[in-house]
Coordinates of all heavy atoms in Angstrom, one line a residue:
M200 N 91.7 -39.9 16.8 CA 90.5 -40.7 17.2 C 89.5 -40.8 16.1 O 89.1 -39.8 15.5 CB 89.9 -39.9 18.4 CG 88.7 -40.7 19.0 SD 88.2 -39.8 20.5 CE 86.6 -40.4 20.5
P201 N 89.1 -42.0 15.7 CA 88.2 -42.2 14.6 C 86.8 -41.6 14.9 O 86.4 -41.6 16.0 CB 88.1 -43.7 14.4 CG 89.2 -44.2 15.2 CD 89.6 -43.2 16.2
V202 N 86.2 -41.1 13.8 CA 84.8 -40.5 13.9 C 83.9 -41.4 13.1 O 84.2 -41.7 12.0 CB 84.8 -39.1 13.5 CG1 83.4 -38.5 13.7 CG2 85.8 -38.2 14.2
R203 N 82.8 -41.8 13.7 CA 81.8 -42.6 13.0 C 80.6 -41.8 12.5 O 80.1 -40.9 13.3 CB 81.3 -43.7 13.9 CG 82.3 -44.7 14.2 CD 81.8 -45.8 15.1 NE 80.6 -45.4 15.9 CZ 79.8 -46.3 16.5 NH1 80.1 -47.5 16.5 NH2 78.8 -45.8 17.2
I204 N 80.2 -42.1 11.3 CA 78.9 -41.4 10.8 C 78.1 -42.6 10.2 O 78.5 -43.7 10.0 CB 79.2 -40.4 9.7 CG1 79.8 -41.0 8.5 CG2 80.1 -39.3 10.3 CD1 79.9 -40.0 7.3
R205 N 76.8 -42.2 10.0 CA 75.8 -43.2 9.5 C 75.1 -42.4 8.4 O 74.4 -41.4 8.6 CB 74.9 -43.7 10.5 CG 73.9 -44.8 10.0 CD 73.0 -45.3 11.0 NE 73.7 -46.0 12.1 CZ 73.3 -46.3 13.3 NH1 72.1 -45.8 13.6 NH2 74.0 -46.9 14.2
I206 N 75.2 -43.0 7.2 CA 74.5 -42.4 6.0 C 73.8 -43.5 5.3 O 74.4 -44.6 5.0 CB 75.5 -41.7 5.0 CG1 76.2 -40.6 5.8 CG2 74.8 -41.2 3.8 CD1 77.3 -40.0 4.9
Y207 N 72.5 -43.3 4.9 CA 71.7 -44.3 4.3 C 71.7 -45.7 5.0 O 71.7 -46.7 4.4 CB 72.1 -44.5 2.8 CG 72.3 -43.3 2.0 CD1 73.5 -43.0 1.3 CD2 71.3 -42.3 2.0 CE1 73.6 -41.8 0.6 CE2 71.5 -41.1 1.3 CZ 72.6 -40.9 0.6 OH 72.8 -39.7 -0.1
G208 N 71.8 -45.7 6.3 CA 71.8 -46.9 7.1 C 73.1 -47.6 7.2 O 73.2 -48.7 7.8
K209 N 74.1 -47.1 6.5 CA 75.5 -47.7 6.5 C 76.4 -46.8 7.4 O 76.3 -45.6 7.4 CB 76.0 -47.7 5.1 CG 75.1 -48.4 4.1 CD 75.1 -49.9 4.3 CE 74.3 -50.5 3.2 NZ 74.1 -51.9 3.3
E210 N 77.3 -47.5 8.1 CA 78.3 -46.8 9.0 C 79.6 -46.6 8.2 O 80.0 -47.5 7.5 CB 78.5 -47.5 10.3 CG 77.3 -47.3 11.2 CD 77.6 -47.8 12.6 OE1 78.8 -47.8 13.0 OE2 76.6 -48.2 13.3
A211 N 80.2 -45.5 8.5 CA 81.5 -45.2 7.9 C 82.4 -44.6 9.0 O 81.9 -43.9 9.9 CB 81.4 -44.3 6.7
I212 N 83.7 -44.8 8.9 CA 84.6 -44.3 9.9 C 85.7 -43.4 9.2 O 86.3 -43.9 8.2 CB 85.3 -45.4 10.7 CG1 84.3 -46.3 11.4 CG2 86.4 -44.9 11.6 CD1 84.8 -47.5 12.1
F213 N 85.9 -42.2 9.8 CA 86.9 -41.3 9.2 C 88.1 -41.3 10.2 O 87.9 -40.9 11.3 CB 86.4 -39.9 8.9 CG 87.3 -39.0 8.3 CD1 87.8 -39.2 7.0 CD2 87.8 -37.9 9.1 CE1 88.7 -38.3 6.5 CE2 88.7 -37.0 8.5 CZ 89.1 -37.2 7.2
T214 N 89.3 -41.6 9.7 CA 90.5 -41.5 10.5 C 91.7 -41.2 9.7 O 91.8 -41.8 8.6 CB 90.7 -42.7 11.4 OG1 91.8 -42.5 12.3 CG2 90.9 -44.0 10.6
Q215 N 92.6 -40.4 10.1 CA 93.8 -40.1 9.4 C 93.6 -39.7 7.9 O 94.4 -40.1 7.1 CB 94.8 -41.2 9.6 CG 95.2 -41.5 11.0 CD 96.1 -42.7 11.2 OE1 96.4 -43.3 10.2 NE2 96.6 -42.9 12.4
G216 N 92.6 -39.0 7.6 CA 92.4 -38.5 6.3 C 91.7 -39.5 5.3 O 91.6 -39.2 4.1
C217 N 91.3 -40.6 5.8 CA 90.7 -41.7 5.0 C 89.4 -42.2 5.5 O 89.2 -42.3 6.7 CB 91.6 -42.8 4.8 SG 93.1 -42.4 3.9
W218 N 88.5 -42.5 4.6 CA 87.2 -43.1 5.0 C 87.3 -44.6 4.9 O 87.9 -45.1 3.9 CB 86.1 -42.6 4.1 CG 85.6 -41.2 4.5 CD1 86.0 -40.1 3.8 CD2 84.8 -40.8 5.5 NE1 85.4 -39.0 4.4 CE2 84.7 -39.4 5.5 CE3 84.1 -41.5 6.5 CZ2 83.9 -38.7 6.4 CZ3 83.4 -40.8 7.4 CH2 83.3 -39.4 7.3
V219 N 86.6 -45.4 5.8 CA 86.5 -46.8 5.7 C 85.0 -47.1 5.9 O 84.4 -46.7 6.8 CB 87.3 -47.5 6.8 CG1 87.1 -49.0 6.8 CG2 88.8 -47.1 6.7
C220 N 84.5 -48.0 4.9 CA 83.1 -48.3 5.0 C 83.0 -49.7 4.2 O 83.7 -50.0 3.3 CB 82.3 -47.2 4.3 SG 80.5 -47.6 4.2
E221 N 82.0 -50.5 4.7 CA 81.8 -51.8 4.0 C 81.1 -51.6 2.7 O 81.3 -52.4 1.8 CB 80.9 -52.6 4.9 CG 81.6 -53.1 6.1 CD 80.7 -54.0 7.0 OE1 79.6 -54.4 6.5 OE2 81.1 -54.4 8.1
D222 N 80.3 -50.5 2.5 CA 79.6 -50.2 1.3 C 80.6 -49.5 0.3 O 81.0 -48.4 0.6 CB 78.4 -49.4 1.5 CG 77.5 -49.2 0.3 OD1 76.7 -50.1 0.0 OD2 77.8 -48.2 -0.4
E223 N 81.0 -50.1 -0.8 CA 82.0 -49.5 -1.7 C 81.5 -48.2 -2.3 O 82.3 -47.3 -2.5 CB 82.4 -50.5 -2.8 CG 83.1 -51.7 -2.2 CD 83.4 -52.7 -3.3 OE1 83.1 -52.4 -4.5 OE2 84.0 -53.7 -3.0
S224 N 80.2 -48.1 -2.7 CA 79.8 -46.9 -3.3 C 79.7 -45.7 -2.3 O 80.1 -44.6 -2.7 CB 78.4 -47.1 -4.0 OG 77.5 -47.5 -3.0
L225 N 79.3 -46.0 -1.1 CA 79.3 -44.9 -0.1 C 80.7 -44.5 0.2 O 81.0 -43.3 0.4 CB 78.6 -45.4 1.2 CG 78.6 -44.4 2.3 CD1 77.9 -43.1 1.9 CD2 77.9 -45.0 3.5
Q226 N 81.6 -45.5 0.3 CA 83.0 -45.1 0.6 C 83.6 -44.3 -0.5 O 84.3 -43.3 -0.2 CB 83.9 -46.4 0.8 CG 85.3 -46.1 1.1 CD 86.1 -47.3 1.4 OE1 85.6 -48.4 1.6 NE2 87.4 -47.1 1.6
A227 N 83.3 -44.5 -1.8 CA 83.8 -43.7 -2.9 C 83.2 -42.3 -2.8 O 83.9 -41.3 -3.0 CB 83.4 -44.4 -4.2
M228 N 81.9 -42.2 -2.4 CA 81.3 -40.8 -2.3 C 82.0 -40.1 -1.2 O 82.3 -38.9 -1.3 CB 79.8 -41.0 -2.0 CG 79.0 -41.4 -3.1 SD 77.3 -41.8 -2.7 CE 76.8 -40.7 -1.5
L229 N 82.3 -40.7 0.0 CA 82.9 -40.1 1.1 C 84.4 -39.8 0.8 O 84.9 -38.7 1.2 CB 82.8 -40.9 2.3 CG 81.4 -41.0 2.9 CD1 81.3 -42.1 4.0 CD2 80.9 -39.7 3.4
Q230 N 85.1 -40.7 0.1 CA 86.5 -40.5 -0.2 C 86.7 -39.3 -1.1 O 87.7 -38.6 -1.1 CB 87.1 -41.7 -0.8 CG 88.6 -41.8 -0.7 CD 89.1 -41.7 0.8 OE1 88.5 -42.2 1.7 NE2 90.2 -41.0 0.9
A231 N 85.7 -39.0 -2.0 CA 85.7 -37.9 -2.9 C 85.7 -36.6 -2.1 O 86.2 -35.5 -2.5 CB 84.6 -37.9 -3.8
L232 N 85.1 -36.6 -0.9 CA 85.1 -35.4 0.0 C 86.2 -35.4 1.0 O 86.4 -34.4 1.7 CB 83.8 -35.4 0.8 CG 82.5 -35.3 0.1 CD1 81.3 -35.3 1.0 CD2 82.4 -33.9 -0.7
A233 N 87.0 -36.4 1.1 CA 88.0 -36.6 2.2 C 89.0 -35.4 2.2 O 89.5 -35.0 1.1 CB 88.7 -37.9 2.0
D234 N 89.3 -35.0 3.4 CA 90.3 -33.9 3.6 C 91.5 -34.6 4.2 O 91.5 -34.9 5.4 CB 89.7 -32.9 4.5 CG 90.7 -31.7 4.7 OD1 91.8 -31.7 4.1 OD2 90.3 -30.7 5.4
P235 N 92.6 -34.8 3.5 CA 93.8 -35.4 4.0 C 94.5 -34.6 5.1 O 95.3 -35.1 5.8 CB 94.7 -35.7 2.8 CG 94.2 -34.7 1.8 CD 92.8 -34.5 2.1
R236 N 94.2 -33.3 5.2 CA 94.8 -32.5 6.2 C 94.2 -32.6 7.5 O 94.7 -32.1 8.5 CB 94.7 -31.0 5.7 CG 95.4 -30.7 4.4 CD 95.1 -29.4 3.9 NE 93.6 -29.3 3.6 CZ 92.9 -28.3 3.4 NH1 93.5 -27.1 3.3 NH2 91.6 -28.3 3.1
A237 N 93.1 -33.3 7.6 CA 92.4 -33.5 8.9 C 93.1 -34.6 9.7 O 92.9 -35.8 9.6 CB 90.9 -33.9 8.7
V238 N 94.0 -34.1 10.6 CA 94.8 -35.1 11.4 C 94.5 -35.0 12.9 O 94.7 -36.0 13.6 CB 96.3 -34.9 11.1 CG1 96.7 -35.3 9.7 CG2 96.8 -33.5 11.4
T239 N 94.1 -33.9 13.4 CA 93.8 -33.8 14.8 C 92.4 -34.3 15.0 O 91.5 -34.3 14.1 CB 93.9 -32.4 15.3 OG1 92.9 -31.6 14.7 CG2 95.3 -31.8 15.0
P240 N 92.0 -34.7 16.3 CA 90.7 -35.2 16.5 C 89.6 -34.1 16.2 O 88.5 -34.5 15.7 CB 90.7 -35.5 18.0 CG 92.1 -35.8 18.3 CD 92.9 -35.0 17.4
E241 N 89.9 -32.9 16.5 CA 88.9 -31.8 16.2 C 88.7 -31.6 14.7 O 87.6 -31.5 14.2 CB 89.4 -30.4 16.8 CG 89.4 -30.4 18.3 CD 90.7 -31.0 18.8 OE1 91.8 -31.0 18.1 OE2 90.7 -31.5 20.0
Q242 N 89.8 -31.7 13.9 CA 89.7 -31.6 12.4 C 88.9 -32.8 11.9 O 88.1 -32.6 11.0 CB 91.1 -31.5 11.8 CG 91.8 -30.2 12.1 CD 93.2 -30.2 11.6 OE1 93.8 -31.2 11.5 NE2 93.7 -29.0 11.3
E243 N 89.2 -34.0 12.4 CA 88.5 -35.2 11.9 C 87.0 -35.1 12.2 O 86.2 -35.4 11.4 CB 89.1 -36.4 12.6 CG 90.4 -36.8 12.1 CD 91.0 -38.1 12.8 OE1 90.4 -38.5 13.8 OE2 92.0 -38.6 12.2
H244 N 86.7 -34.6 13.4 CA 85.3 -34.4 13.8 C 84.6 -33.4 12.9 O 83.5 -33.6 12.4 CB 85.2 -34.0 15.2 CG 83.8 -33.8 15.7 ND1 82.9 -34.9 16.0 CD2 83.0 -32.7 15.8 CE1 81.7 -34.4 16.3 NE2 81.8 -33.1 16.2
Q245 N 85.2 -32.3 12.6 CA 84.7 -31.2 11.7 C 84.4 -31.8 10.3 O 83.4 -31.5 9.7 CB 85.5 -30.0 11.7 CG 85.5 -29.2 13.0 CD 84.1 -28.7 13.2 OE1 83.3 -28.2 12.4 NE2 83.7 -28.8 14.5
H246 N 85.4 -32.5 9.8 CA 85.3 -33.1 8.5 C 84.1 -34.1 8.4 O 83.3 -34.1 7.5 CB 86.6 -33.7 8.0 CG 86.4 -34.3 6.6 ND1 86.2 -33.6 5.5 CD2 86.4 -35.7 6.3 CE1 86.0 -34.5 4.5 NE2 86.1 -35.7 4.9
A247 N 84.1 -35.0 9.4 CA 83.0 -36.0 9.4 C 81.7 -35.3 9.6 O 80.7 -35.8 9.0 CB 83.3 -37.0 10.6
L248 N 81.6 -34.3 10.3 CA 80.3 -33.5 10.5 C 79.9 -32.9 9.2 O 78.7 -33.0 8.8 CB 80.5 -32.4 11.5 CG 79.3 -31.7 12.0 CD1 78.3 -32.7 12.7 CD2 79.6 -30.6 12.9
Y249 N 80.8 -32.4 8.4 CA 80.6 -31.8 7.1 C 80.1 -32.9 6.1 O 79.1 -32.8 5.4 CB 81.8 -31.1 6.5 CG 81.6 -30.8 5.1 CD1 80.9 -29.6 4.7 CD2 82.2 -31.5 4.0 CE1 80.7 -29.3 3.4 CE2 82.1 -31.2 2.7 CZ 81.3 -30.1 2.4 OH 81.2 -29.7 1.1
A250 N 80.8 -34.1 6.1 CA 80.4 -35.1 5.2 C 79.0 -35.7 5.5 O 78.2 -36.0 4.6 CB 81.5 -36.2 5.2
A251 N 78.8 -35.9 6.8 CA 77.5 -36.4 7.2 C 76.4 -35.4 6.9 O 75.3 -35.8 6.4 CB 77.5 -36.7 8.7
G252 N 76.6 -34.2 7.1 CA 75.6 -33.1 6.7 C 75.4 -33.0 5.3 O 74.3 -32.8 4.8
R253 N 76.4 -33.2 4.5 CA 76.3 -33.1 3.0 C 75.4 -34.2 2.5 O 74.7 -33.9 1.5 CB 77.7 -33.3 2.5 CG 77.8 -33.1 1.0 CD 78.0 -31.7 0.6 NE 78.0 -31.5 -0.8 CZ 79.1 -31.3 -1.6 NH1 80.3 -31.2 -1.0 NH2 79.0 -31.2 -2.9
Y254 N 75.4 -35.4 3.1 CA 74.5 -36.4 2.6 C 73.3 -36.7 3.5 O 72.7 -37.7 3.4 CB 75.3 -37.7 2.4 CG 76.4 -37.6 1.4 CD1 77.7 -37.7 1.7 CD2 76.0 -37.4 0.0 CE1 78.7 -37.6 0.7 CE2 77.0 -37.3 -1.0 CZ 78.3 -37.4 -0.6 OH 79.3 -37.3 -1.6
G255 N 73.0 -35.8 4.4 CA 71.9 -35.9 5.3 C 72.0 -37.1 6.3 O 71.0 -37.7 6.6
G256 N 73.2 -37.3 6.8 CA 73.4 -38.4 7.7 C 73.5 -38.1 9.2 O 73.1 -36.9 9.6
L257 N 73.9 -39.0 10.0 CA 74.0 -38.9 11.4 C 75.5 -39.0 11.8 O 76.3 -39.6 11.1 CB 73.3 -40.0 12.1 CG 71.8 -40.2 11.8 CD1 71.3 -41.4 12.4 CD2 71.0 -39.0 12.3
I258 N 75.9 -38.4 12.9 CA 77.2 -38.5 13.5 C 77.2 -39.0 14.9 O 76.2 -38.7 15.6 CB 78.0 -37.1 13.4 CG1 79.4 -37.3 13.8 CG2 77.3 -36.1 14.3 CD1 80.3 -36.2 13.3
A259 N 78.1 -39.9 15.2 CA 78.1 -40.6 16.5 C 78.8 -39.6 17.5 O 79.9 -39.1 17.3 CB 78.9 -41.9 16.5
L260 N 78.0 -39.3 18.6 CA 78.5 -38.5 19.7 C 78.6 -39.4 20.9 O 78.0 -40.5 20.9 CB 77.6 -37.3 19.9 CG 77.6 -36.3 18.7 CD1 76.6 -35.2 18.9 CD2 78.9 -35.7 18.4
P261 N 79.2 -38.9 22.0 CA 79.3 -39.8 23.2 C 77.9 -40.2 23.8 O 77.8 -41.2 24.3 CB 80.0 -38.9 24.2 CG 80.8 -37.9 23.4 CD 80.0 -37.7 22.1
H262 N 76.9 -39.3 23.6 CA 75.6 -39.6 24.1 C 74.6 -40.3 23.1 O 73.5 -40.5 23.3 CB 74.9 -38.4 24.7 CG 74.7 -37.3 23.6 ND1 75.7 -36.4 23.3 CD2 73.7 -37.0 22.8 CE1 75.3 -35.6 22.4 NE2 74.1 -35.9 22.1
G263 N 75.2 -40.6 21.9 CA 74.3 -41.3 20.9 C 74.5 -40.6 19.5 O 75.4 -39.8 19.3
W264 N 73.6 -41.0 18.6 CA 73.6 -40.5 17.2 C 72.9 -39.2 17.2 O 71.8 -39.0 17.8 CB 73.0 -41.5 16.3 CG 73.8 -42.7 16.1 CD1 73.6 -43.9 16.8 CD2 74.9 -42.9 15.3 NE1 74.6 -44.8 16.4 CE2 75.4 -44.3 15.5 CE3 75.6 -42.1 14.3 CZ2 76.5 -44.8 14.8 CZ3 76.6 -42.7 13.6 CH2 77.1 -44.0 13.9
E265 N 73.4 -38.2 16.4 CA 72.7 -36.9 16.2 C 72.8 -36.6 14.7 O 73.8 -36.8 14.0 CB 73.5 -35.9 17.0 CG 72.8 -34.5 17.0 CD 73.6 -33.6 17.9 OE1 73.6 -33.8 19.1 OE2 74.1 -32.6 17.4
A266 N 71.7 -36.0 14.3 CA 71.6 -35.5 12.9 C 72.6 -34.4 12.6 O 72.7 -33.5 13.4 CB 70.2 -35.1 12.5
A267 N 73.4 -34.6 11.6 CA 74.4 -33.6 11.2 C 73.7 -32.4 10.5 O 72.8 -32.6 9.7 CB 75.4 -34.2 10.3
P268 N 74.1 -31.2 10.9 CA 73.5 -30.0 10.2 C 73.9 -29.9 8.7 O 75.0 -30.3 8.4 CB 74.0 -28.8 11.0 CG 75.2 -29.3 11.6 CD 75.1 -30.8 11.8
L269 N 73.1 -29.4 7.9 CA 73.4 -29.2 6.5 C 74.5 -28.1 6.4 O 74.4 -27.1 7.0 CB 72.2 -28.8 5.7 CG 71.1 -29.9 5.6 CD1 69.9 -29.3 4.8 CD2 71.6 -31.1 4.9
P270 N 75.5 -28.4 5.6 CA 76.5 -27.3 5.4 C 76.0 -26.2 4.6 O 75.0 -26.3 3.8 CB 77.7 -28.1 4.7 CG 77.0 -29.2 4.0 CD 75.8 -29.6 4.8
A271 N 76.7 -25.0 4.7 CA 76.3 -23.9 3.9 C 76.5 -24.2 2.4 O 77.5 -24.9 2.0 CB 77.1 -22.7 4.3
P272 N 75.7 -23.7 1.5 CA 75.8 -24.0 0.1 C 77.2 -23.4 -0.4 O 77.5 -22.3 0.0 CB 74.6 -23.3 -0.6 CG 74.1 -22.4 0.4 CD 74.5 -22.9 1.7
E273 N 77.8 -24.1 -1.3 CA 79.1 -23.6 -1.9 C 78.8 -22.6 -3.0 O 79.6 -21.7 -3.2 CB 79.9 -24.8 -2.4 CG 80.3 -25.7 -1.3 CD 80.9 -27.0 -1.8 OE1 81.2 -27.1 -3.0 OE2 81.1 -27.9 -1.0
I274 N 77.7 -22.8 -3.8 CA 77.4 -21.8 -4.8 C 75.9 -21.4 -4.6 O 75.1 -22.2 -4.4 CB 77.5 -22.5 -6.2 CG1 79.0 -22.9 -6.4 CG2 77.1 -21.5 -7.3 CD1 79.2 -23.6 -7.7
R275 N 75.7 -20.1 -4.7 CA 74.3 -19.6 -4.5 C 73.9 -19.0 -5.8 O 74.8 -18.6 -6.7 CB 74.3 -18.5 -3.4 CG 74.8 -19.0 -2.1 CD 74.9 -17.9 -1.1 NE 75.8 -16.9 -1.7 CZ 76.0 -15.8 -1.2 NH1 75.6 -15.4 -0.1 NH2 76.8 -14.9 -1.8
M276 N 72.6 -18.8 -6.0 CA 72.1 -18.2 -7.3 C 72.6 -16.8 -7.4 O 72.9 -16.3 -8.5 CB 70.6 -18.2 -7.3 CG 70.0 -19.6 -7.6 SD 70.6 -20.3 -9.1 CE 69.9 -19.3 -10.3
E277 N 72.8 -16.1 -6.3 CA 73.3 -14.7 -6.4 C 74.7 -14.6 -7.0 O 75.1 -13.6 -7.6 CB 73.3 -14.0 -5.0 CG 72.0 -13.8 -4.4 CD 71.4 -15.1 -3.7 OE1 72.3 -15.9 -3.2 OE2 70.2 -15.3 -3.7
D278 N 75.5 -15.7 -6.9 CA 76.8 -15.7 -7.4 C 76.8 -15.9 -9.0 O 77.7 -15.5 -9.6 CB 77.6 -16.9 -6.8 CG 77.8 -16.8 -5.3 OD1 77.8 -15.6 -4.8 OD2 78.0 -17.8 -4.7
L279 N 75.7 -16.4 -9.5 CA 75.6 -16.7 -10.9 C 75.0 -15.5 -11.7 O 75.2 -15.4 -12.9 CB 74.9 -18.0 -11.2 CG 75.5 -19.2 -10.5 CD1 74.5 -20.4 -10.8 CD2 76.8 -19.5 -11.1
L280 N 74.1 -14.7 -11.0 CA 73.4 -13.7 -11.7 C 74.2 -12.4 -11.7 O 75.0 -12.1 -10.8 CB 72.0 -13.4 -11.0 CG 71.1 -14.6 -11.0 CD1 69.8 -14.3 -10.1 CD2 70.6 -15.0 -12.4
P281 N 74.0 -11.6 -12.8 CA 74.7 -10.3 -12.8 C 74.2 -9.4 -11.7 O 73.0 -9.5 -11.3 CB 74.4 -9.8 -14.2 CG 73.2 -10.5 -14.7 CD 73.2 -11.8 -14.0
P282 N 75.0 -8.4 -11.3 CA 74.5 -7.5 -10.3 C 73.3 -6.7 -10.8 O 73.1 -6.5 -12.0 CB 75.7 -6.5 -10.1 CG 76.9 -7.2 -10.7 CD 76.3 -8.2 -11.7
K283 N 72.5 -6.2 -9.8 CA 71.2 -5.5 -10.2 C 71.5 -4.2 -10.9 O 70.7 -3.8 -11.8 CB 70.5 -5.1 -8.9 CG 69.9 -6.4 -8.2 CD 68.6 -6.8 -8.9 CE 67.9 -7.9 -8.2 NZ 66.8 -8.4 -8.8
E284 N 72.6 -3.5 -10.6 CA 72.8 -2.2 -11.3 C 73.1 -2.3 -12.8 O 72.8 -1.4 -13.5 CB 74.0 -1.4 -10.6 CG 75.3 -2.2 -10.5 CD 75.4 -2.9 -9.2 OE1 74.4 -2.9 -8.4 OE2 76.4 -3.4 -8.9
K285 N 73.5 -3.4 -13.3 CA 73.7 -3.6 -14.7 C 72.3 -3.9 -15.3 O 72.1 -3.6 -16.5 CB 74.6 -4.8 -15.0 CG 76.0 -4.5 -14.7 CD 76.9 -5.6 -15.1 CE 78.4 -5.2 -14.8 NZ 79.3 -6.3 -15.2
G286 N 71.4 -4.4 -14.6 CA 70.0 -4.6 -15.1 C 69.9 -5.8 -16.1 O 70.9 -6.4 -16.5
G287 N 68.7 -6.0 -16.4 CA 68.5 -7.0 -17.5 C 68.4 -8.4 -16.9 O 67.4 -9.1 -17.3
G288 N 69.3 -8.9 -16.1 CA 69.2 -10.3 -15.6 C 69.3 -11.3 -16.8 O 69.9 -11.0 -17.8
L289 N 68.8 -12.4 -16.6 CA 68.9 -13.4 -17.6 C 68.0 -13.1 -18.8 O 68.3 -13.5 -20.0 CB 68.5 -14.8 -17.1 CG 69.5 -15.3 -16.0 CD1 69.0 -16.6 -15.5 CD2 70.9 -15.6 -16.6
L290 N 66.9 -12.4 -18.6 CA 66.0 -12.1 -19.7 C 66.5 -11.0 -20.6 O 66.0 -10.8 -21.7 CB 64.6 -11.8 -19.2 CG 63.9 -12.9 -18.5 CD1 62.5 -12.5 -17.9 CD2 63.7 -14.1 -19.4
G291 N 67.5 -10.3 -20.1 CA 68.1 -9.2 -20.9 C 68.7 -9.7 -22.2 O 68.9 -9.0 -23.2
L292 N 69.1 -11.0 -22.2 CA 69.6 -11.6 -23.5 C 68.6 -11.7 -24.6 O 68.9 -11.8 -25.7 CB 70.2 -13.0 -23.1 CG 71.3 -13.0 -22.1 CD1 71.6 -14.5 -21.8 CD2 72.5 -12.4 -22.7
L293 N 67.3 -11.8 -24.2 CA 66.2 -12.0 -25.2 C 65.7 -10.6 -25.7 O 64.9 -10.7 -26.7 CB 65.1 -12.7 -24.5 CG 65.5 -14.1 -24.0 CD1 64.3 -14.7 -23.2 CD2 66.0 -15.0 -25.0
R294 N 66.1 -9.5 -25.2 CA 65.6 -8.2 -25.7 C 66.2 -7.9 -27.0 O 67.3 -8.3 -27.3 CB 66.0 -7.1 -24.7 CG 65.2 -7.2 -23.4 CD 65.3 -5.9 -22.6 NE 64.7 -6.1 -21.3 CZ 65.3 -5.9 -20.2 NH1 66.5 -5.3 -20.1 NH2 64.7 -6.1 -19.1
R295 N 65.5 -7.1 -27.8 CA 65.9 -6.6 -29.1 C 67.0 -5.6 -28.9 O 66.9 -4.7 -28.1 CB 64.8 -6.0 -29.8 CG 64.3 -6.8 -30.9 CD 63.4 -6.0 -31.7 NE 62.6 -7.0 -32.5 CZ 61.6 -6.7 -33.3 NH1 61.2 -5.4 -33.3 NH2 61.0 -7.6 -34.0
K296 N 68.0 -5.6 -29.7 CA 69.1 -4.6 -29.7 C 68.6 -3.5 -30.7 O 68.1 -3.8 -31.8 CB 70.4 -5.2 -30.2 CG 70.8 -6.4 -29.5 CD 71.9 -6.0 -28.5 CE 72.3 -7.3 -27.8 NZ 73.1 -7.2 -26.8
K297 N 68.8 -2.3 -30.3 CA 68.4 -1.1 -31.1 C 69.5 -0.6 -31.9 O 70.6 -0.7 -31.7 CB 67.8 0.0 -30.3 CG 66.5 -0.4 -29.6 CD 66.0 0.7 -28.8 CE 64.7 0.4 -28.2 NZ 64.1 1.4 -27.5

């Protein structure tokens, strides 16, 4: 079952692992996120919800359009910084070596 989303005032449809949209640039952005493994209606809905949330869009539900929640960040600052027990942080690089 196709899932419709609306991003930047343009509608797009996700079905069978592919996005269809009249706006070529939006379709390219969505196709970059496309999950070809999403074949069941639940998987299609979850992927469309992720894509709409990623770009701050809306998703079509039976009762109307609803804002998609933002997905969890894929990379956090804590992942990039060294652990606290090693100390120093990013400014440790600027300290004088004895």
Side-chain angles (χ1 to χ4, degrees):
M200 183 173 156
V202 183
R203 293 182 335 169
I204 65 170
R205 186 180 292 162
I206 299 174
Y207 310 130
K209 307 284 183 186
E210 285 192 27
I212 298 173
F213 182 69
T214 184
Q215 299 178 354
C217 293
W218 285 100
V219 177
C220 180
E221 290 181 10
D222 185 89
E223 292 177 3
S224 60
L225 178 59
Q226 182 172 351
M228 289 171 38
L229 292 170
Q230 200 58 38
L232 297 176
D234 185 0
R236 300 169 296 170
V238 291
T239 67
E241 294 82 25
Q242 291 171 334
E243 287 179 349
H244 179 77
Q245 286 300 316
H246 175 69
L248 189 64
Y249 170 77
R253 183 87 185 255
Y254 294 116
L257 306 170
I258 187 160
L260 297 176
H262 61 274
W264 293 95
E265 185 176 298
L269 296 175
E273 295 172 10
I274 298 175
R275 301 172 308 176
M276 286 303 294
E277 294 83 30
D278 298 336
L279 302 174
L280 296 175
K283 290 282 186 186
E284 51 269 7
K285 287 187 181 178
L289 293 175
L290 295 178
L292 299 172
L293 302 175
R294 288 195 190 130
R295 253 190 196 174
K296 305 261 180 184
K297 292 183 180 182

